[in-house]
Amino acid sequence: MLQRKQSLFLLLSLICALVCLCLPIGTIAPRTSMGTDLIVNNLGLKGASFSSYMGWPLYAVLVLNCALCVITIFLYKNRTLQMKFCSIQIVLYGIWYVYYIYSVLETFPVLGIFKMNWSVSLPLVSIILCAMAHKGIKNDEELVRSADRIR
């Protein structure tokens, strides 16, 4: 199972998603010199008594991706379903970025000056790892099919 390179890619993708879940994805500095910075997590804002920002979609997409990644790792006997799950993960990471960009452009400027954190790049790394895993799974499937034709 884990001796296949695509399983290792999926495991690294899972680790990146988990790290992104735990780390803040940015900070919001107040426009005036008074006040403290707000820390933006995938689940919401830390340090705000009231905010209209709803970060739970970011959290939900990453948790769903983590679950799909674990399922995908253990589907090594069903390569076609494994490829579909890799594609679904890539689409979900794209949805994560779309909602993040929407939040950066629409919600965060109202609250203050937004500064992005490096952990925002981790879903992009996961996208690349899922694409590499998809390619490896596809190569395995083509190899099995060509071996079946020879017999």
Side-chain angles (χ1 to χ4, degrees):
M1 171 183 71
L2 283 179
Q3 66 270 20
R4 295 170 56 212
K5 63 181 177 183
Q6 48 271 30
S7 296
L8 293 175
F9 292 149
L10 290 169
L11 184 65
L12 289 173
S13 173
L14 173 66
I15 291 170
C16 286
L18 288 173
V19 169
C20 186
L21 271 173
C22 297
L23 293 177
I25 55 176
T27 57
I28 299 175
R31 294 194 191 281
T32 62
S33 61
M34 300 186 68
T36 59
D37 291 351
L38 302 174
I39 299 172
V40 182
N41 292 325
N42 283 301
L43 199 51
L45 294 174
K46 184 177 179 182
S49 58
F50 174 77
S51 174
S52 61
Y53 172 64
M54 294 180 45
W56 65 266
L58 294 174
Y59 184 79
V61 167
L62 281 179
V63 167
L64 182 61
N65 264 332
C66 288
L68 277 176
C69 201
V70 169
I71 292 169
T72 306
I73 290 172
F74 290 107
L75 282 175
Y76 59 93
K77 291 183 181 177
N78 191 349
R79 288 176 297 279
T80 56
L81 188 59
Q82 203 176 24
M83 283 190 294
K84 288 178 186 175
F85 277 8
C86 283
S87 299
I88 290 170
Q89 287 179 10
I90 291 170
V91 169
L92 284 175
Y93 282 123
I95 291 171
W96 186 89
Y97 272 112
V98 166
Y99 189 76
Y100 180 77
I101 291 170
Y102 169 77
S103 298
V104 167
L105 295 177
E106 295 294 324
T107 307
F108 297 153
V110 174
L111 300 172
I113 301 167
F114 179 73
K115 295 175 187 166
M116 195 179 318
N117 199 354
W118 67 270
S119 60
V120 175
S121 65
L122 290 174
L124 180 63
V125 172
S126 291
I127 288 173
I128 294 167
L129 288 169
C130 284
M132 290 169 60
H134 185 275
K135 185 176 185 228
I137 296 165
K138 186 176 179 182
N139 289 343
D140 280 356
E141 183 66 23
E142 289 172 358
L143 182 67
V144 168
R145 288 182 191 256
S146 69
D148 286 344
R149 276 185 291 207
I150 292 172
R151 280 193 259 167

